[in-house]
Amino acid sequence: MASSFFLLLFLSFSLVCSLVSTKHSVTWTYGINYGRIADNLPAPESVVTLLKAAKVNHIRIYDADHGVLTAFNGSGIEVIVGLPNGYLKEMSTGEDRAMNWVKENVQAFLPGTQIRGIAVGNEILGGSDMELWEVLLPAARNIYGAVYRLGLKEIVQVSSPHSEAVFANSYPPSACIFKPDVVPFMKPLLQLFSQIGSPFYINAYPFLAYKNDPQHIDINYALFKDNRGIYDAKTKLHYDNMFEAQVDAAYSALEKAGFNKMEVIVSETGWASRGDPDEAGATVKNARTYNRHLRKRLIKKKGTPLRPKIPVRAYVFALFNENSKPGPTSERNFGLFKPDGSIAYDIGFTGLVPSSHPLSLLRILQLRDG
C-alpha cells in the first residue's frame, strides 16, 4: 500500500515537472503577424491553408475576431489574440468586464483553437495618449485575473507589446534605459509580468531605425549582410546586425529596471518593400534580404550576444499587405504573401500558387476541394 502511494506521488510529481518544463521550453522561434486592415484578403480558412503550406505554426492577431478564431480551430497553429487599445479603459474599470471578455473571446474557443496569449493593447507607453498610459496596468491586471480565475493561467500568457519609443537610448545596447517619464508606468507593469511569468514584448524594426538616420547607419548592418558591425565597450560584445542589438538593448533596459530574468520576445519586426518617398531603404530587394536572413537566423534557435542561451523568438510583420490602413504609413507594404496566396518575394516560402498564377487563392482551394 505504501509503495503504491509513493508511486502515485512520484508520477504526480513527474507530471507537474513535465507541465512546467513544457510551459517554459522553447519549441518555436518564428511566427507571423496576421493583420487584417484590408479589403482584399482571403478568408481566414484559406489563411490557415496558406500557413500550413508555409509550415508556420505561430501567429499573432490584433483582436479576437470570432471568424478568425473559428477558422483556426483544429489547425494546430498557436495564436496570440489582441485586446485592442480601444478596450483598455473598459477592461481597467472592473474585473467583471474583463472576465466577460476572456470568456467570450478566449475560453469559448479553447481547446480547439490553441490560443496561447493575450496581448493587452499595442504600443501604449511612449505614445501620445496619456489616458491609455494610466489604464494599461489595471487592464492587464484584470485580464490576467480573469485568466487565473478561469483556470487558464498555464495555457494563456498575458503581456503587452511596446515600441522602441519606451527607450531613452539604445546605442550601444548596454546603454539602453527606459525613458524617465515611462518608468513610473513601466515598472509596475513589469512587476506584474514578472510575478506571472510573462515575457517583455518589443516591436523591433531595424527598418525604422535606418530610415530615420540613413546617413549614420550602415544598411548592411540593418540587413544582416556583411559589415563591420559595432562593438559595445561596456559588455565587450560585438554585434554584426542591428536586430540582435535591439533585442539586447531591451535586455539591458530590463536589467537596469531590476528585471534581468525576464525574457524578451520580438512581437513585431520586418522590412517595408514599399514606403513613402522619404523612407530610405523601402525596396523589395531590401525586404527580401532582411526577411530571408531573419528567418534563417531564427530557425537556428540561437541566442543573442548578451543572452546566448535564450533563443530569440519573433513575430514577423506581416502576413499580407494591408491596403486600408489609415494615416501617414498607409503606403507601406510589409506583406510576405499576396492575397492570392503567392509569395510577395522569395525568402524560402513556396506559397500556394506561383506568383504569376492568374487564379485567386479562393479559386485554387475550390478546385482543390473538387
Side-chain angles (χ1 to χ4, degrees), residues 64-319:
D65 182 89
H66 288 193
V68 172
L69 295 178
T70 299
F72 278 85
N73 180 57
S75 67
I77 297 171
E78 297 193 356
V79 183
I80 289 182
V81 300
L83 177 70
N85 295 353
Y87 286 81
L88 293 183
K89 293 179 184 178
E90 179 185 353
M91 295 302 118
S92 71
T93 58
E95 296 181 0
D96 55 334
R97 297 182 182 182
M99 176 65 77
N100 290 337
W101 191 91
V102 174
K103 281 183 177 179
E104 293 173 6
N105 298 290
V106 178
Q107 187 186 45
F109 295 92
L110 295 170
T113 302
Q114 296 186 21
I115 300 174
R116 293 295 178 259
I118 302 172
V120 179
N122 187 48
E123 299 190 340
I124 299 299
L125 302 183
S128 58
D129 192 335
M130 294 301 296
E131 286 188 52
L132 293 184
W133 290 36
E134 297 279 355
V135 299
L136 178 58
L137 175 60
R141 187 184 291 123
N142 286 341
I143 289 292
Y144 176 75
V147 168
Y148 180 87
R149 291 197 300 278
L150 292 171
L152 304 176
K153 69 181 181 69
E154 297 297 327
I155 303 172
V156 181
Q157 208 167 48
V158 177
S159 193
S160 182
H162 305 285
S163 75
E164 296 276 336
V166 300
F167 300 135
N169 180 35
S170 59
Y171 178 82
S174 64
C176 189
I177 58 172
F178 291 111
K179 288 180 178 177
D181 61 335
V182 167
V183 170
F185 298 90
M186 180 66 80
K187 196 158 186 178
L189 187 68
L190 293 175
Q191 287 171 341
L192 169 66
F193 292 156
S194 178
Q195 290 167 358
I196 65 178
S198 293
F200 179 79
Y201 281 153
I202 184 68
N203 296 341
Y205 284 96
F207 164 72
L208 296 179
Y210 174 74
K211 86 171 188 68
N212 289 332
D213 193 9
Q215 301 299 320
H216 297 97
I217 295 176
D218 182 355
I219 194 168
N220 292 328
Y221 175 64
L223 291 174
F224 295 95
K225 296 176 73 174
D226 289 341
N227 66 96
R228 294 177 58 189
I230 68 164
Y231 177 72
D232 192 325
K234 181 177 180 181
T235 58
K236 296 181 173 57
L237 295 174
H238 180 266
Y239 293 86
D240 59 15
N241 67 83
M242 184 182 289
F243 175 77
E244 291 184 1
Q246 288 183 329
V247 174
D248 276 356
Y251 273 121
S252 294
L254 289 171
E255 187 171 342
K256 293 184 182 73
F259 300 93
N260 61 319
K261 294 184 178 180
M262 186 172 289
E263 180 185 4
V264 172
I265 294 179
V266 178
S267 39
E268 286 182 21
T269 189
W271 196 283
S273 59
R274 187 184 75 175
D276 294 329
D278 64 338
E279 294 193 327
T283 67
V284 171
K285 181 180 179 181
N286 288 340
R288 181 174 60 243
T289 299
Y290 180 83
N291 281 297
R292 185 194 295 129
H293 286 298
L294 174 70
R295 182 166 177 254
K296 288 180 178 178
R297 191 234 173 275
L298 293 174
I299 289 174
K300 292 178 181 178
K301 298 187 177 183
K302 291 171 51 183
T304 61
L306 190 63
R307 295 287 189 273
K309 295 182 179 180
I310 304 177
V312 180
R313 298 194 270 178
Y315 291 88
V316 176
F317 188 85
L319 191 60

